[in-house]
Amino acid sequence: MRKELNIHNFRDLLEHFPIRHIDKTNVGSIASLEQQDEYAYVAGTLLSLDLLGDGRAKRLVGKLKDNTGTIELVWFQGVHWVQKALLPGHSYLAFGKLGYFMGTPQIAHPDMEPYTPQKATGKKFLEPIYPSTEKLKARGLNGAALGKIMLEMLQKIQPKDLEENIPSFILNSYKLMGRFESNNQIHFPVSESSYQLALRRLKFEELFYAQMRINLIKLQRHRFSKGWLFDKVGDLFNTFYKNYLPFELTNAQKNVLKEIRKDTATGKQMNRLLQGDVGSGKTMVALLSMLIAADNQFQSVLMAPTEILAQQHFISITEYLKDLPVKVALLTGSTPTKKRREIMLGCADGSIQILLGTHAVIEDKVIFLHLGFAVIDEQHKFGVAQRSQLWKKNTLPPHILVMTATPIPRTLALTAYGDLDYSVMDELPPGRKPISTIHRFEQARPSVMDFIKEQVQAGRQAYIIYPLIEESSKVDYENLMKGYEEVKSFFPEPRYWISMVHGKQDSAMKEANMQRFVKGDTNIMVSTTVVEVGVNVPNASVMVIESAEKFGLSQLHQLRGRVGRGAEKSYCVLLTGQKLSRDARERLKIMVATNDGFKIAEKDLEIRGPGEIEGTRQSGALNFKLASIVADKVMLEVARSAVEKILENDPDLTLAENLLIKKFMQEQKHKTGWGKIA
Ligand code: ADP
Ligand code: MG
């Protein structure tokens, strides 16, 4: 049982919740059974028990009669055993799935119990059905057997074993069932409504404690964590801002900068999540923050998820800073050894102020003289482990700014990343024309190509993206190559030039092809999703996505975000096959309907559920047993605001009314951040 269901103690057993219940509280009369009833629970005399049919059609048929009618009981298996156990002429209770055969009510493989008049009043509670596994079933531990163990355990447990863990003022104001009662009622409810109340209470408890844990971590950081003090805005920032910033910042950018500025001037460590839609200008926020760090004699790193993106950041940032005395370096997996050594020296002696790169920048070998600020760009490609690796880079952890690739729904973000502070940039730089998105079936490909031709003749560039479901998938590469040949036949050299980039090229090749497109030497970029994140080519005005039905919503939105970056009107064409699943059709519909990444994120969460949203998969905070952050969103908000209110008044949980929270969390120490806190 341990291994199969991950149950190691009473507590785990108690939290092994039933998947449904069956109602044996009322014994019905046979005549009152109806076709639409799912189950029958009846009592009567077994009139006969006969073996009928031959070979495969062989079956045991019993007739059970009460004073209103007769029902058939049928067994196809275990006939021998049933024949021995049941005696015609005796009375039995029969329970099972109700079926009708030629108009006669019938139960196949019913649960049978001897019937005595007292028992016929039915059970006192609904019977739980538990999830079990095939292996356990084979050893006789099926759902019913688990039910017996559970009942025995619950009869032994006393109220003192399950003391209330939610303050009474909350229980009262949200009308929640008590802890002891709800743990009983979730397994053996006296009625459906009692089950619902128990479920509501236990869901609330889950959400409440998830929020409590994560908010305590955040609060402790705000109160006690030491961080580097950036006490001034100096020449680098000011000079850049006045003389070199190529555009006016949006209000959203200004606000986030203010938040970062405030956070880093407190002497506490900043840990901030920056949510911004594709193209909202997160890079500039990161750059300006890194200049503040440099003004305070601290080094910064910016970590990007792909080599191409890191390269691009390097090119644009060195260009922005070319007239300022700031040393910027790029470190990726493909940096040659000699150059790498030079960069590592520069980091160690402090001469490099800003290091850009891929995850290579956080390897243990890279040592900084005085790292103070770290940016993680396009977070969905990075895990929590990488975030924590940054903490070891200096005697105090650097300030950390995590930037998402595409928006994550707010409820999800505050649950999965609730220990981080939260900023939103919900504004795009001015002058952007909305991207027109259309859905076309494959047959329309020639006309789509003609459209690209028009755009290219007008001086624009285009992306054509092919799916790459798995890095190693041969079929995907074959499709890409076929597509490339096809595109070439539409756009013959030397009138047109095409770049192709995919994961199997070595990075020098990838880089060269990418750069030709960035510089405008090629008109069309044929690629897998390696251009998915971040890449910035403002002159590109068309994004064609082949087999768009194979992509997830956030990926489609991220890909679409590669166009619409310049002044020209841009287009996104989603090409698909004729056959579309319901989900795929839903995704395409949303893409066509809106450009708003925040709306798309909410939809994505609805369609896929929280476990599948990128960047949150590893988050333990989402492993709820009963609650769902989609279905129970309202309750989640209630739990969060309750937690926030409590901690605002009583951050150490020392008030009498809150002591039970502290006690419960200490009992659960291994599961909480309390160990760190107390
Ligand atoms: P993302 O948030 O998706 O990472 P980027 O930082 O790549 O977006 O910015 C997208 C484009 O918008 C870049 O070309 C950048 O130079 C430009 N940009 C950023 N901020 C502004 C602004 N305030 N006004 C005009 N253009 C801006
Ligand atoms: Mg970006």
Side-chain angles (χ1 to χ4, degrees):
M1 177 141 95
R2 277 163 192 260
K3 258 213 200 121
E4 285 291 312
L5 291 172
N6 216 3
I7 294 176
H8 303 276
N9 53 38
F10 279 145
R11 175 82 197 221
D12 292 340
L13 188 58
L14 199 59
E15 289 181 357
H16 189 62
F17 297 113
I19 34 179
R20 60 192 173 83
H21 287 89
I22 49 182
D23 189 350
K24 288 195 194 174
T25 54
N26 276 309
V27 180
S29 64
I30 293 174
S32 66
L33 292 174
E34 291 183 28
Q35 296 258 3
Q36 67 267 27
D37 293 345
E38 199 181 348
Y39 291 95
Y41 189 41
V42 291
T45 312
L46 187 63
L47 292 182
S48 58
L49 196 61
D50 301 309
L51 207 51
L52 303 180
D54 288 312
R56 290 169 127 248
K58 202 158 157 177
R59 65 200 186 274
L60 187 67
V61 177
K63 287 204 183 336
L64 190 79
K65 181 185 177 313
D66 68 5
N67 47 25
T68 68
T70 310
I71 189 168
E72 251 181 34
L73 311 172
V74 193
W75 290 266
F76 300 97
Q77 276 140 32
V79 167
H80 217 64
W81 188 85
V82 178
Q83 270 180 319
K84 262 197 241 164
L86 301 182
L87 296 171
H90 283 69
S91 296
Y92 294 95
L93 281 159
F95 176 85
K97 266 214 156 85
L98 179 65
Y100 278 81
F101 188 68
M102 317 257 277
T104 318
Q106 190 182 67
I107 309 176
H109 290 270
D111 295 340
M112 301 293 288
E113 270 181 81
Y115 155 82
T116 47
Q118 299 94 292
K119 261 195 154 178
T121 50
K123 306 275 191 246
K124 288 202 187 63
F125 42 72
L126 307 184
E127 276 188 14
I129 303 289
Y130 292 100
S132 185
T133 69
E134 288 309 315
K135 261 195 203 157
L136 286 178
K137 273 185 197 147
R139 294 205 201 133
L141 200 61
N142 56 16
L146 261 176
K148 276 202 187 110
I149 297 176
M150 198 71 80
L151 188 59
E152 272 173 37
M153 181 182 74
L154 279 167
Q155 277 161 355
K156 283 189 193 125
I157 288 181
Q158 303 295 315
K160 70 168 171 43
D161 301 318
L162 283 173
E163 275 178 44
E164 188 50 67
N165 59 7
I166 293 187
S168 56
F169 66 94
I170 294 181
L171 289 182
N172 293 337
S173 70
Y174 301 115
K175 304 204 169 35
L176 298 172
M177 192 184 261
R179 184 169 179 224
F180 179 72
E181 193 187 357
S182 58
N183 272 286
N184 276 286
Q185 292 296 313
I186 191 92
H187 292 283
F188 299 98
V190 292
S191 65
E192 173 65 21
S193 65
S194 178
Y195 171 76
Q196 291 301 338
L197 286 175
L199 184 63
R200 181 165 171 271
R201 143 75 202 220
L202 291 171
K203 279 181 175 181
F204 186 91
E205 182 184 318
E206 264 190 318
L207 295 169
F208 179 84
Y209 274 100
Q211 289 298 318
M212 185 58 80
R213 267 174 218 123
I214 213 158
N215 275 286
L216 272 170
I217 292 172
K218 180 157 79 179
L219 188 65
Q220 301 305 315
R221 180 165 45 76
H222 287 171
R223 295 169 77 197
F224 304 123
S225 77
K226 284 215 179 71
W228 300 113
L229 183 67
F230 295 179
D231 58 5
K232 61 167 186 273
V233 175
D235 289 346
L236 289 174
F237 181 96
N238 286 328
T239 312
F240 180 76
Y241 201 95
K242 266 192 232 117
N243 305 336
Y244 301 104
L245 188 64
F247 37 67
E248 171 86 13
L249 292 185
T250 64
N251 284 326
Q253 285 170 317
K254 283 183 195 160
N255 287 338
V256 175
L257 260 178
K258 261 184 227 151
E259 286 172 327
I260 293 171
R261 171 82 195 98
K262 219 170 113 199
D263 284 354
T264 53
T266 58
K268 305 274 163 32
Q269 187 224 1
M270 178 185 85
N271 241 313
R272 188 166 278 283
L273 177 70
L274 171 53
Q275 283 247 60
D277 206 346
V278 177
S280 58
K282 294 183 288 284
T283 318
M284 188 48 79
V285 171
L287 174 58
L288 289 165
S289 308
M290 294 192 290
L291 289 179
I292 295 177
D295 274 335
N296 288 276
Q297 272 68 55
F298 285 94
Q299 294 166 289
S300 302
V301 290
L302 185 152
M303 177 162 72
T306 65
E307 184 131 357
I308 291 176
L309 193 54
Q311 299 259 11
Q312 235 190 12
H313 281 323
F314 181 67
I315 291 164
S316 64
I317 288 177
T318 41
E319 175 66 25
Y320 282 138
L321 299 181
K322 66 176 190 289
D323 296 321
L324 287 175
V326 184
K327 193 162 172 206
V328 182
L330 174 71
L331 181 66
T332 70
S334 64
T335 306
T337 317
K338 190 165 156 248
K339 182 83 189 156
R340 173 181 300 263
R341 236 178 255 138
E342 213 179 285
I343 290 173
M344 288 184 23
L345 270 176
C347 289
D349 69 18
S351 59
I352 291 175
Q353 286 131 301
I354 295 179
L355 180 66
L356 310 173
T358 54
H359 58 268
V361 300
I362 56 165
E363 278 171 19
D364 287 338
K365 293 174 292 189
V366 185
I367 294 162
F368 294 89
L369 181 70
H370 207 19
L371 183 66
F373 198 88
V375 184
I376 302 179
D377 192 19
E378 316 286 359
Q379 153 81 9
H380 77 214
K381 301 277 168 173
F382 292 109
V384 178
Q386 277 152 321
R387 236 204 289 161
S388 65
Q389 220 165 329
L390 279 165
W391 285 48
K392 301 179 295 191
K393 291 279 175 205
N394 203 344
T395 50
L396 286 177
H399 299 296
I400 293 177
L401 180 67
V402 176
M403 308 199 292
T404 57
T406 51
I408 306 170
R410 186 171 167 275
T411 39
L412 188 62
L414 290 181
T415 308
Y417 299 104
D419 55 330
L420 308 186
D421 293 296
Y422 182 77
S423 297
V424 176
M425 296 208 304
D426 50 3
E427 183 187 358
L428 294 181
R432 297 266 169 86
K433 300 205 175 92
I435 304 161
S436 294
T437 303
I438 47 173
H439 169 213
R440 290 282 181 273
F441 291 110
E442 274 159 1
Q443 295 88 310
R445 191 178 287 115
S447 69
V448 173
M449 294 296 159
D450 286 341
F451 177 68
I452 295 179
K453 226 169 240 176
E454 282 170 30
Q455 289 283 308
V456 168
Q457 268 152 14
R460 308 280 92 77
Q461 289 164 282
Y463 292 97
I464 305 176
I465 306 293
Y466 291 80
L468 182 58
I469 308 308
E470 269 174 70
E471 200 62 41
S472 57
S473 163
K474 226 177 118 201
V475 183
D476 287 341
Y477 279 102
E478 279 165 13
N479 282 341
L480 174 71
M481 292 309 163
K482 230 176 73 202
Y484 178 60
E485 292 306 324
E486 206 177 344
V487 175
K488 261 197 345 204
S489 69
F490 273 104
F491 298 94
E493 291 173 3
R495 258 198 85 190
Y496 303 97
W497 295 99
I498 303 171
S499 284
M500 179 165 67
V501 171
H502 60 75
K504 286 207 170 149
Q505 291 164 335
D506 66 38
S507 56
M509 176 77 134
K510 244 189 269 181
E511 180 51 25
N513 287 332
M514 193 69 220
Q515 280 313 323
R516 284 171 64 213
F517 187 68
V518 172
K519 289 204 197 95
D521 294 344
T522 57
N523 314 100
I524 294 168
M525 163 63 78
V526 171
S527 160
T528 58
T529 52
V530 292
V531 302
E532 181 189 335
V533 286
V535 174
N536 193 31
V537 181
N539 188 47
S541 64
V542 188
M543 165 62 66
V544 176
I545 304 175
E546 290 273 356
S547 305
E549 70 270 31
K550 293 190 183 162
F551 293 86
L553 259 182
S554 75
Q555 211 176 15
L556 288 172
H557 180 61
Q558 182 58 239
L559 282 167
R560 176 171 61 184
R562 296 314 102 214
V563 297
R565 302 187 147 245
E568 300 305 322
K569 169 112 187 92
S570 294
Y571 305 86
C572 175
V573 185
L574 307 170
L575 278 174
T576 71
Q578 284 288 349
K579 268 207 192 126
L580 294 174
S581 69
R582 229 187 66 211
D583 276 3
R585 213 167 297 141
E586 185 78 352
R587 289 197 293 270
L588 295 164
K589 212 174 96 192
I590 297 159
M591 285 298 293
V592 171
T594 182
N595 275 306
D596 182 338
F598 288 90
K599 276 192 198 143
I600 289 173
E602 293 289 342
K603 269 287 177 206
D604 201 18
L605 181 61
E606 271 171 40
I607 296 177
R608 290 197 296 170
E612 293 301 315
I613 306 293
E614 295 203 63
T616 58
R617 213 164 295 166
Q618 319 93 323
S619 168
L622 293 174
N623 291 335
F624 295 122
K625 287 202 160 123
L626 295 170
S628 144
I629 73 159
V630 181
D632 304 311
K633 197 165 143 181
V634 176
M635 193 190 269
L636 173 61
E637 293 292 343
V638 170
R640 183 182 19 254
S641 69
V643 164
E644 281 169 359
K645 226 182 260 161
I646 290 173
L647 291 178
E648 203 174 297
N649 294 327
D650 184 18
D652 293 309
L653 298 173
T654 45
L655 291 182
E657 60 188 21
N658 296 329
L659 278 179
L660 78 190
I661 299 175
K662 191 167 185 163
K663 190 168 169 224
F664 180 71
M665 295 194 79
Q666 272 164 343
E667 278 166 19
Q668 302 244 305
K669 219 172 213 165
H670 61 288
K671 284 190 182 174
T672 67
W674 197 261
K676 261 196 269 172
I677 293 156

